[in-house]
Amino acid sequence: MRIGYGYDVHRLCPGRPLILGGVEVPFEKGLDGHSDADVLIHALMDALLGAAALGDIGGIFPDSDPQYKGISSLELLSRVYIRISELGLKVWNLDCTIVAQAPILSPHIPDMKEKIMEVLHMPTDRVNIKATTEERLGFTGAGEGMAAHAVVLLHESSDG
Ligand code: MG
């Protein structure tokens, strides 16, 4: 078994869609970034890469590379899945937390889970996503940005 942890932050700005866990969430602002800025998937990818000792997403998908501009983070997640599969590793379970003052995310979490389970070929009872506010404290509380944390457990697959 191998454990991995990931953390990411993106700034909120007007004029961009809010993409979280591959789902477009209706909101007055979106996350700023080179890709679709999906903070949840970025934290998750860093957790997966960390568990596999493959570094981080900045090293694998550099934001100086124009091919990643505006790219769907779910597409990047599928590439991370291939990388860990090549090492004979599978995801046992994952647990993620989105930190955001607004909007209310609970109605969108089942769709996020669905997208992640599909890309990582996982059963529903081993994927957990939750959301919290920071009680109006700090940059998330002020609505300046969102953060996400992720932990994953990988195991060596018997079928290679
Ligand atoms: Mg990021």
Side-chain angles (χ1 to χ4, degrees):
M1 290 284 190
R2 290 159 165 255
I3 194 168
Y5 168 74
Y7 173 68
D8 195 28
V9 168
H10 280 264
R11 188 181 293 274
L12 278 161
C13 68
R16 279 185 55 103
L18 175 60
I19 311 290
L20 289 171
V23 175
E24 184 166 344
V25 176
F27 192 48
E28 65 207 31
K29 292 177 177 178
L31 294 171
D32 195 16
H34 188 71
S35 65
D36 63 4
D38 188 330
V39 69
L40 171 61
I41 301 295
H42 290 190
L44 178 56
M45 287 193 285
D46 265 354
L48 292 164
L49 292 170
L54 287 173
D56 62 29
I57 50 173
I60 294 195
F61 311 118
D63 62 9
S64 54
D65 189 331
Q67 70 168 301
Y68 302 121
K69 185 164 172 53
I71 195 167
S72 158
S73 295
L74 279 183
E75 168 58 30
L76 299 179
L77 181 64
S78 73
R79 296 185 197 183
V80 167
Y81 177 77
I82 291 167
R83 294 287 292 263
I84 63 172
S85 299
E86 284 168 352
L87 295 175
L89 295 168
K90 285 196 164 149
V91 190
W92 178 256
N93 79 310
L94 64 88
D95 182 24
C96 304
T97 302
I98 307 165
V99 185
Q101 187 62 43
I104 291 169
L105 295 174
S106 52
H108 305 285
I109 284 178
D111 289 345
M112 296 178 198
K113 280 178 69 171
E114 193 72 36
K115 303 250 183 204
I116 290 168
M117 283 158 41
E118 199 178 297
V119 173
L120 297 179
H121 303 91
M122 292 177 68
T124 177
D125 63 346
R126 293 198 217 132
V127 175
N128 196 65
I129 300 171
K130 53 205 180 306
T132 186
T133 74
E134 285 183 309
E135 302 288 341
R136 302 196 176 278
L137 295 168
F139 71 86
T140 68
E144 293 168 355
M146 292 184 182
H149 302 261
V151 287
V152 303
L153 202 59
L154 303 186
H155 67 103
E156 289 174 17
S157 63
S158 50
D159 55 14

